[in-house]
């Protein structure tokens, strides 16, 4: 019997990973050894795994550089319209493997590393995640960058180079503990500092109204130092730029002030202004009105707009000669997309530049501003909406407050005590979009109803998507290969091609291949869990995942109630044939969000009881996945059988994790919320486990008798039993009242109506169990889901933004490229 293929041999076979030509491999080995020697100053006797990772990263980066320079040169020559995607978050994850995929270098690098006697996966594991985001909004920005490059758009991602990204999560005695994410400790091989493009950003001070116009004076200056990261398109020779700004004190900081204690203190105080880019605010869907956060928001916008104006004015590549001075042309050459309200200051800042510095009249400047900017809304939750106190604004950005008052006066809004950033974005943009059809409908019917009635043409929908490069080809090569064998490789560029899989839905060999890939991925993830978390799981069990930020509206508590109910049923009839399940929940709680931290504690407590009950055995396991992040998602999602998308209808704007699970062969149990609605439509509702109230039902309940938890508690015995167990200390025998607040929340002030969907959820889970017992029918349903994923490529999303908002035309052409 032949021995099973090693991972290396498996990876070699895969066509979608590019060819490993002999010359190519030899050249890569030479480059690797050169970097080990000259860049890292090590030889093979003293080098460690991290050195080898850096040598490989630098070798792969070499293949980007020529294309990067050529792409930027090409944009200067062609002078296309450029799009600036401004976001306070870019949740990039790791870069090495994604770059190899997009440059078709994966097989060659694999072979080279193998011939050098090293293990590719071990080297890949040395890379730190770039965790410069909280969740969906930041990861969406990263997927969008990949798609914009792959569609040949002259696009730039602009954000902040946080020294500390999203915290690392440790679980200690069942509780979340945060650790600082020192991701730059060993250096970042993918970024290039550009000190020659440093820009001043001003804060504080006061305004002077002179005959020459308004002057903003007595300000404090912070320098914005740009770091550029290459963004390669998929095999089209295009490499765009993500530019992240870092805050730097000017050399004379505090030294010009005679009132400062002295030279030493002045130098030490430089830290204060450099704190602007120190750390990412770890809140998802929550507004914290802190001065430092407003500084971050203005900092990224002010630095970015200086770049925008400089590029607009400059002529061809390499020339600093100013050729364009007519700002009426700006909207024909520049599109600015605001990722939520976080970069809303772009609107008053662009007005300040046009009016105060470029001396345009207000009306002309406003017309240019509106035609240039567009705004994406990401949430309807009131606690997430940014409303800044007037006095904070006046103190930090006095000129911008004057401009906002003038915008306000012209829109005849009343006086106010807060600056509502969403309203600023709507009036200052020519397009406003939600991120899934149902979300966009809710926006115009509720939150932005008045603005919609004034200006209905402004409002659009752009349903979110995910990049199939990272979320299929890279993280699930086995599935990508099985698909490619049937329909070729075009689906990687054009995900709609997946529809062609429908003709194989009854093909026994194909069904077997799909099921086999899933089983391999489950085994691999089980091994990962055992190695890293010391937990043993049953790979034959259904892998049931809910991974996302911990938040009341996402209803991890509803999942908890199912875990307990299923546990109680097994205990009641231990000899019945139960469908075995491993229920995995992962996600971070904002450090200040007490309820979310308690939810994590409840999940770990349920696990402590369930996982050690000999009656249950391996029929039910509950696992909390520590430190969920992009890199863990890439390992977990390909192994999933069931995806939990169970937010209260009308609360999840879109979701994108839902799409990743669907593309990777999981079935979805979910409410009619966010993009779930469109996913069910694409796959066929009969291939989706839909349950619970619709938006109309929630609205009717709110308008009518209201939500009364006790009615459900008293009517449904299994719900009562589960709640009594939580309340009575069954899951916390040493601290019986540990979960008193959660019980109180669920019974008396649950905004998200967990009990109202409990019964429908449990029944729907029973249907899931039944289908799982029939592997062939289950897999056929999986194929219907994969075949329905085409719409959820970020390539489709970005093509729509380009045509319908930015006035740009995407292209699948390769640009000519003559050297490597």
């Amino acid at each position: 019997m032949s021995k099973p293929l090693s991972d290396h041999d498996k990876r070699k076979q895969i066509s979608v990973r590019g060819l490993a030509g002999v010359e190519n491999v030899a050249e890569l080995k030479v480059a690797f050894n050169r970097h080990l020697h000259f860049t890292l100053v090590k030889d093979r006797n003293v080098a460690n795994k991290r050195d080898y990772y850096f040598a490989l990263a630098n070798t792969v980066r070499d293949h980007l550089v020529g294309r990067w320079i050529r792409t930027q040169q090409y944009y200067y020559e062609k002078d296309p319209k450029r799009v600036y995607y401004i976001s306070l978050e870019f949740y990039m994850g790791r870069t090495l493997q994604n770059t190899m995929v997009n440059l078709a270098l994966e097989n060659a690098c694999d072979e080279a590393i193998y011939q050098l006697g090293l293990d590719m996966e071990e080297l890949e594991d040395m890379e730190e995640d770039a965790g410069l985001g909280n969740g969906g909004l930041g990861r969406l920005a990263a997927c969008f960058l990949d798609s914009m490059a792959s569609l040949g758009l002259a696009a730039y991602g602009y954000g902040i180079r946080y020294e500390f990204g999203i915290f690392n999560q440790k679980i200690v005695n069942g509780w979340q503990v945060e650790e600082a994410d020192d991701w730059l400790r060993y250096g970042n091989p993918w970024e290039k500092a550009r000190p020659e493009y440093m820009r001043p950003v001003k804060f504080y001070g006061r305004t002077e109204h002179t005959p020459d116009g308004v002057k903003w004076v007595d300000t404090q200056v912070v320098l914005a130092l740009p770091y550029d990261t290459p963004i390669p398109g998929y095999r089209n020779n295009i490499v765009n730029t993500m530019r992240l700004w870092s805050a730097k004190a000017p050399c004379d900081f505090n030294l010009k002030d005679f009132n400062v204690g002295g030279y030493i203190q002045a130098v030490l105080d430089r830290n204060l202004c450099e704190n602007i880019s120190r750390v990412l605010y770890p809140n998802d869907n929550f507004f914290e009105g802190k001065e430092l956060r407003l500084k971050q928001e203005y900092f990224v916008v002010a630095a970015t707009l200086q770049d925008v104006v400089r590029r607009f004015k400059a002529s061809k590549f390499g020339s600093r000669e100013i050729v364009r001075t007519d700002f009426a042309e700006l909207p024909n050459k520049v599109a600015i997309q605001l990722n939520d309200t976080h970069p809303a200051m772009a609107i008053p800042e662009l007005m300040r530049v046009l009016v105060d510095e470029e001396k345009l009249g207000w009306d002309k400047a406003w017309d240019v501003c509106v035609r240039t900017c567009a705004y994406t809304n990401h949430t309807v939750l009131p606690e997430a909406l940014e409303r800044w106190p007037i006095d904070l604004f006046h103190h930090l950005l006095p000129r911008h407050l004057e401009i906002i008052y003038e915008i306000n006066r012209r829109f005849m809004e009343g006086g106010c005590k807060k600056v509502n950033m969403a309203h600023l974005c709507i009036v200052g943009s020519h397009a406003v979009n939600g991120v899934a059809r149902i979300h966009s409908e809710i926006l115009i019917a509720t939150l932005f109803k008045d603005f919609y009635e004034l200006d209905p043409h402004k409002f659009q929908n752009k349903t979110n998507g995910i990049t199939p490069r990272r979320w299929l080809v890279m993280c699930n090569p086995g599935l990508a290969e099985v698909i490619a064998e049937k329909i070729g490789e075009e689906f990687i560029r054009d995900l709609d091609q997946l529809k062609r899989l429908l003709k194989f839905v009854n093909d026994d060999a194909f069904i077997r291949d799909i099921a086999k890939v899933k089983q391999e991925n489950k085994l691999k993830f089980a091994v990962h869990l055992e190695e890293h978390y010391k937990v043993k799981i049953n790979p034959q069990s259904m892998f049931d995942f809910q991974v996302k930020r911990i938040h009341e509206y996402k209803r991890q508590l509803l999942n908890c109630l199912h875990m307990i109910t299923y546990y109680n049923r097994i205990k009641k009839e231990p000899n019945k044939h139960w469908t075995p399940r491993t229920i995995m929940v992962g996600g971070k709680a904002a450090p200040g969000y007490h309820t979310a931290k308690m939810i994590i504690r409840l999940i770990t407590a349920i696990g402590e009881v369930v996982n050690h009950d000999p009656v249950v055995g391996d029929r039910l396991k509950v696992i909390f996945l520590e430190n969920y992040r992009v890199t863990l998602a890439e390992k977990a999602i390909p192994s999933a059988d069931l995806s939990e998308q169970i937010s209260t209808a009308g609360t999840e704007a879109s979701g994108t994790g839902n799409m990743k699970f669907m593309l990777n062969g999981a079935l979805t149990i979910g409410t009619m919320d966010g993009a779930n609605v469109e996913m069910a439509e694409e796959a066929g509702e009969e291939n989706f486990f839909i349950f619970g109230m619709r938006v109309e039902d929630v609205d009717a309940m709110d308008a009518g008798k209201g939500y009364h938890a006790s009615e459900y508690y008293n009517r449904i015995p299994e719900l009562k039993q589960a709640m009594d167990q939580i309340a009575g200390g069954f899951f916390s025998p040493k601290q019986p009242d540990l979960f008193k607040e959660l019980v109180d929340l669920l019974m008396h002030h649950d905004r998200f109506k967990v009990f109202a969907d409990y019964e429908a959820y449990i029944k729907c889970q029973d249907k899931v169990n039944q289908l799982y017992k029939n592997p062939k029918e289950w897999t056929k349903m999986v194929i219907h889901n994969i075949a329905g994923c085409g719409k959820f490529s970020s390539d489709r999303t970005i093509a729509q933004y380009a045509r319908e908002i930015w006035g740009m035309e995407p292209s699948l052409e390769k640009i000519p490229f003559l050297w490597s």
Side-chain angles (χ1 to χ4, degrees), residues 223 248-255 267 270:
L223 299 176
K248 202 94 176 81
C251 293
D252 63 0
F253 182 76
N254 264 5
L255 290 169
V267 173
R270 292 167 60 87

Side-chain angles (χ1 to χ4, degrees), residues 77-121:
E77 288 163 1
K78 289 275 187 284
D79 193 31
K81 186 169 183 177
R82 291 167 160 86
V83 57
Y84 294 89
Y85 194 86
I86 311 181
S87 180
L88 269 281
E89 303 185 21
F90 287 94
Y91 203 172
M92 302 294 285
R94 290 175 177 167
T95 296
L96 174 61
Q97 197 185 352
N98 184 248
T99 304
M100 295 191 298
V101 165
N102 280 12
L103 262 41
L105 279 173
E106 209 170 5
N107 265 330
C109 286
D110 240 7
E111 185 58 33
I113 292 302
Y114 177 74
Q115 290 181 18
L116 289 162
L118 299 167
D119 180 316
M120 178 62 98
E121 278 192 43

Side-chain angles (χ1 to χ4, degrees), residues 281-283 286-291 293-294 297 383-386 388 592:
Y281 272 83
N283 304 314
F286 183 77
F287 170 58
E288 190 174 352
K290 296 282 194 281
E291 180 177 14
R293 173 65 176 198
L294 185 55
E297 293 185 354
E383 62 266 38
L385 299 177
E386 296 196 293
W388 290 100

Side-chain angles (χ1 to χ4, degrees), residues 720-731:
K720 182 178 191 302
Q721 182 188 6
M723 287 304 295
D724 291 350
Q725 286 170 311
I726 297 170
F730 182 86
F731 297 105

Side-chain angles (χ1 to χ4, degrees), residues 26 50 58 118 200 243 245 256-257 283 298 349 382 430 447 528 540 565 597 628 644 754 769 804:
R50 181 168 285 106
N58 278 285
L118 299 167
R243 175 164 284 182
W245 302 101
K256 55 198 177 306
D257 301 338
N283 304 314
Y298 178 65
E349 173 65 5
H430 70 279
L447 203 61
H528 175 79
Q540 299 315 125
T565 302
K597 291 186 148 179
Y628 181 68
E644 303 260 359
V754 170
N769 284 337
E804 298 163 27

Side-chain angles (χ1 to χ4, degrees), residues 217-486:
V217 297
D218 297 338
T219 55
Q220 189 191 110
V221 173
V222 177
L223 299 176
L225 170 64
Y227 285 78
D228 288 355
T229 298
I231 305 292
Y234 183 71
R235 302 186 187 182
N236 63 354
N237 293 328
I238 285 177
V239 181
N240 284 342
T241 301
M242 173 176 68
R243 175 164 284 182
L244 302 181
W245 302 101
S246 182
K248 202 94 176 81
C251 293
D252 63 0
F253 182 76
N254 264 5
L255 290 169
K256 55 198 177 306
D257 301 338
F258 53 86
N259 60 344
V260 168
Y263 164 73
I264 295 290
Q265 195 55 46
V267 173
L268 298 184
D269 285 348
R270 292 167 60 87
N271 274 326
L272 299 175
C273 79
E274 295 177 357
N275 278 339
I276 291 173
S277 56
R278 195 80 66 206
V279 61
L280 167 74
Y281 272 83
N283 304 314
D284 189 75
N285 275 296
F286 183 77
F287 170 58
E288 190 174 352
K290 296 282 194 281
E291 180 177 14
L292 181 62
R293 173 65 176 198
L294 185 55
K295 276 187 175 171
Q296 290 181 339
E297 293 185 354
Y298 178 65
F299 175 76
V300 65
V301 147
T304 300
L305 282 177
Q306 293 179 65
D307 261 15
V308 170
V309 169
R310 175 181 57 78
R311 271 196 209 102
F312 170 72
K313 287 180 173 181
S315 60
K316 290 198 297 294
F317 183 68
S319 160
R320 286 289 147 262
E321 196 186 324
I322 290 178
V323 293
R324 239 188 241 117
T325 47
D326 179 8
F327 277 88
E329 278 298 298
L330 190 76
N332 301 324
K333 285 294 172 189
V334 171
I336 293 172
Q337 190 68 36
L338 308 176
N339 194 26
D340 212 316
T341 56
H342 313 149
M345 290 304 299
I347 290 164
E349 173 65 5
L350 182 54
M351 286 301 287
R352 187 190 67 80
V353 170
L354 293 176
V355 173
D356 295 357
E357 295 180 4
E358 301 295 338
K359 307 299 184 195
L360 272 72
W362 180 278
D363 292 320
K364 182 69 175 290
W366 184 246
D367 177 64
V368 168
C369 177
V370 170
R371 287 168 50 218
T372 302
C373 296
Y375 156 57
T376 302
N377 172 276
H378 284 272
T379 184
V380 295
L381 295 182
E383 62 266 38
L385 299 177
E386 296 196 293
R387 297 187 182 92
W388 290 100
I390 296 287
D391 49 356
L392 174 58
F393 235 92
H394 177 72
H395 177 54
L396 191 68
L397 299 166
R399 177 57 182 143
H400 297 79
L401 186 59
E402 292 180 347
I403 290 167
I404 287 166
Y405 278 148
E406 181 58 22
I407 294 168
N408 217 19
R409 190 181 67 75
R410 289 166 182 255
F411 277 85
M412 293 171 297
E413 288 187 23
C416 57
K417 290 282 156 280
K418 299 269 173 99
V419 179
N420 185 314
M421 299 300 252
H423 294 177
L424 177 60
C425 285
I426 295 167
V427 300
S429 298
H430 70 279
V432 175
N433 72 281
V435 290
R437 188 204 304 143
I438 188 175
H439 168 57
S440 298
E441 287 166 359
I442 290 169
L443 283 181
I444 63 177
T446 59
L447 203 61
F448 300 157
K449 184 169 189 280
D450 300 348
F451 294 96
Y452 175 72
E453 285 164 1
L454 277 174
D455 217 350
H457 70 271
K458 215 179 241 199
F459 292 82
Q460 305 188 17
N461 173 244
K462 295 287 170 278
T463 299
N464 283 162
I466 59 175
T467 171
R469 272 72 64 180
R470 183 175 295 264
W471 296 112
L472 178 57
V473 179
M474 186 185 119
C475 73
N476 201 343
L479 181 57
E481 191 53 29
V482 166
I483 294 169
E485 279 167 9
K486 282 286 184 249

